[in-house]
Amino acid sequence: MSFVAYLGLNYPIENVRFHNESSVKITERYSTQESSAAVLQHHLTTMYIVEIELERSLDDLNPQSKIETPVDYSEARQTLYAIIQFLRLNLQVGDYAQIYYCWTGEEAEDSLGMATVLLSELPIPDILTEERFLITFIND
């Protein structure tokens, strides 16, 4: 099994802009049409979905990781910051994006939690995550 992150947007992926140094990359390593459809049906409220590759798993933002592996937690925070920068570049004011991450094969399972992040919020808030978690990013 592998950890996979799905990005939900309200516009086609062809309209996404990337920085050359962006740590958010579009991939199709683990997802299938069935798994993407399951995430879109069960978890996301956006119109489009794509699998993304991140430098570090957002699962490392969980409270246990902060205690046991502070380096991984710190790197997960950097990944969260990179996602926020990426979304600030791409989302219109009033729009939102969602990221759902889980183990492959668990796309249709119940979510274990969710959080909302305002892209304008600084400093970036703590998000206490776990697997099968949905984060909604709002560009207010």
Side-chain angles (χ1 to χ4, degrees), residues 36-85:
S36 294
V39 172
L40 201 53
Q41 179 182 4
H42 294 283
H43 305 291
L44 301 183
T45 60
T46 57
M47 296 187 329
Y48 300 94
I49 186 172
V50 65
E51 179 188 340
I52 57 174
E53 183 177 324
L54 305 170
E55 286 186 358
R56 184 56 115 184
S57 171
L58 292 175
D59 186 46
D60 288 329
L61 292 172
N62 69 60
Q64 197 62 28
S65 180
K66 188 175 185 178
I67 296 165
E68 293 176 356
T69 54
V71 172
D72 291 349
Y73 175 81
S74 175
E75 290 174 356
R77 291 283 297 169
Q78 291 172 4
T79 296
L80 178 63
Y81 180 74
I83 291 168
I84 288 172
Q85 296 295 56

Side-chain angles (χ1 to χ4, degrees), residues 79-103:
T79 296
L80 178 63
Y81 180 74
I83 291 168
I84 288 172
Q85 296 295 56
F86 168 78
L87 293 174
R88 283 179 179 161
L89 176 68
N90 282 286
L91 289 182
Q92 299 292 321
V93 173
D95 200 4
Y96 69 98
Q98 295 176 307
I99 291 182
Y100 184 77
Y101 51 94
C102 61
W103 292 101

Side-chain angles (χ1 to χ4, degrees), residues 8 10 15 26 29 33-34 40 53 55 64 66 74 76-77 85 91-92 95 97 103 106 110-111 120 124 128 136:
N10 287 315
N15 297 344
I26 304 301
R29 247 185 345 181
Q33 282 187 322
E34 294 81 18
L40 201 53
E53 183 177 324
E55 286 186 358
Q64 197 62 28
K66 188 175 185 178
S74 175
R77 291 283 297 169
Q85 296 295 56
L91 289 182
Q92 299 292 321
D95 200 4
W103 292 101
E106 295 185 353
D110 290 342
S111 173
S120 62
I124 299 169
L128 308 178
T136 300

